[in-house]
Amino acid sequence: MDNLLMDNLTKQLFNYPLSIDPVTLPELTEHRLTAHVLRLDKIHPVISGNKWFKLKNHLHAAMKKPGQHIITFGGPWSNHIIAAAFAAQQAGLRATGIIRGEQPAALSDTLRQAAGYGMQLEFISREAYRAKDTPAFLEQLRAKWPGAWVIPEGGAGPLGVKGSDDILRAVDKSQYTHILCAIGTGTMYQGLVNASAPGQIVIGVPVLKGMKAFSNLPDYHFGGYARYTPELLDFMNRWYRSTGIPSDFVYTGKLFYAALDSVHKNLFPPDSRLLLIHSGGLQGNRSLPPGVLDF
């Protein structure tokens, strides 16, 4: 894919307004704080949130390979898998998803949709999946699919970080003292750090239990990756009723909970201006029982 084709694909996928929603809550006023949410969840119905930013440079690299084929990784409700499948289809690339766990009798909604976009699904055991980043495993993939471009889980790696730099370049970041985001692989977090202005504080909320590399606010994982408690789900409903902003239980629900809890704990100096990054992922809520969430 040449630069012109990549530019055209970007324009096609970004026909959605990039909005920044104010958050009006009594505790913010009480602590003399302002908060806005960067609604990356609204930029596209499938490649939602930060996924395009992390994928775009990988797609560009893949189009330069003779195989015109991407291979990537994720679980049965992976936001990354569904975004990669759709993006590959739009870019004219073949796509293979290496899926964590044995093939189930019935595919999740996410995997059915990814397959509908043309992604070939390859299921491997959880034990094998844990070795997905090792040289031996990657060599097996390249032997099976010569010329394919391997995208790390979540679009991680230097190309994903470079693409994530553009998140803050798309908005006027100068008005904010603090920028907050959820952390999975840390790819977007590193991009935000790279693109932040001098003096701005970038705060990460790890959603994986025991994650120490980015331990800005480490105690809001609610049991670990993709885990939740009734307290978290109740908060997500109350947050939605108060702000009109939906969240997901894997990433943004934990981010918003951590942000407000930090306000209650007086962790932000008066007159701080907060920008919370809504990284998308709402489709994962479909894995919850019906009626649990109000949105």
Side-chain angles (χ1 to χ4, degrees), residues 5-295:
L5 189 53
M6 193 67 186
D7 288 344
N8 288 339
L9 180 59
T10 301
K11 292 175 182 177
Q12 172 193 343
L13 295 176
F14 275 79
N15 291 328
Y16 299 83
L18 188 61
S19 65
I20 299 179
D21 292 0
V23 177
T24 305
L25 294 172
E27 49 263 70
L28 295 172
T29 303
E30 178 185 344
H31 289 82
R32 288 171 46 195
L33 304 172
T34 60
H36 292 162
V37 176
L38 177 58
R39 297 292 304 275
L40 297 183
D41 59 306
K42 296 170 68 175
I43 63 175
H44 191 272
V46 181
I47 311 180
S48 172
N50 59 12
K51 298 307 175 187
W52 173 251
F53 294 94
K54 296 196 289 183
L55 279 169
K56 60 180 182 174
N57 291 324
H58 283 291
L59 295 175
H60 201 179
M63 292 303 294
K64 297 178 181 179
K65 299 279 286 184
Q68 307 285 287
H69 180 195
I70 64 167
I71 300 171
T72 195
F73 311 87
W77 292 96
S78 168
N79 302 314
H80 169 70
I81 284 290
I82 197 169
F86 182 83
Q89 181 194 63
Q90 297 302 302
L93 290 162
R94 291 190 297 126
T96 297
I98 308 298
I99 309 302
R100 182 185 67 247
E102 304 295 341
Q103 182 169 353
L107 296 180
S108 67
D109 289 347
T110 298
L111 294 184
R112 281 201 302 271
Q113 199 169 346
Y117 295 136
M119 175 175 275
Q120 178 184 348
L121 304 178
E122 297 277 336
F123 294 85
I124 63 174
S125 69
R126 289 178 176 271
E127 181 180 0
Y129 192 86
R130 285 193 289 270
K132 68 185 184 305
D133 298 320
T134 63
F137 187 89
L138 294 174
E139 187 59 35
Q140 291 176 7
L141 292 185
R142 294 187 177 103
K144 186 173 182 178
W145 292 288
W149 182 266
V150 178
I151 302 177
E153 185 175 21
L159 292 179
V161 171
K162 183 179 178 182
S164 297
D165 291 357
D166 291 337
I167 293 173
L168 287 185
R169 297 194 175 104
V171 299
D172 178 11
K173 64 188 177 188
S174 64
Q175 59 183 300
Y176 301 105
T177 59
H178 298 74
I179 298 163
L180 291 82
C181 72
I183 292 179
T185 63
T187 306
M188 177 179 66
Y189 173 85
Q190 189 58 58
L192 295 174
V193 170
N194 293 347
S196 62
Q200 280 181 327
I201 299 172
V202 181
I203 297 175
V205 178
V207 301
L208 286 79
K209 187 176 182 179
M211 188 175 189
K212 300 299 183 183
F214 307 103
S215 56
N216 295 291
L217 292 174
D219 299 323
Y220 297 97
H221 52 72
F222 287 87
Y225 183 74
R227 295 183 181 274
Y228 57 88
T229 65
E231 179 186 12
L232 177 63
L233 299 179
D234 179 64
F235 168 81
M236 291 165 60
N237 282 328
R238 288 187 285 109
W239 168 270
Y240 179 74
R241 290 194 293 267
S242 298
T243 68
I245 299 173
S247 59
D248 76 295
F249 68 89
V250 179
Y251 296 103
T252 54
K254 296 174 181 180
L255 167 67
F256 299 146
Y257 185 104
L260 283 193
D261 195 48
S262 298
V263 169
H264 295 147
K265 293 177 178 177
N266 296 304
L267 297 186
F268 301 109
D271 301 317
S272 294
R273 302 175 304 279
L274 317 180
L275 180 65
L276 283 64
I277 310 298
H278 196 311
S279 52
L282 297 177
Q283 68 88 25
N285 287 338
R286 298 202 300 259
S287 66
L288 294 171
V292 169
L293 297 176
D294 294 343
F295 49 89

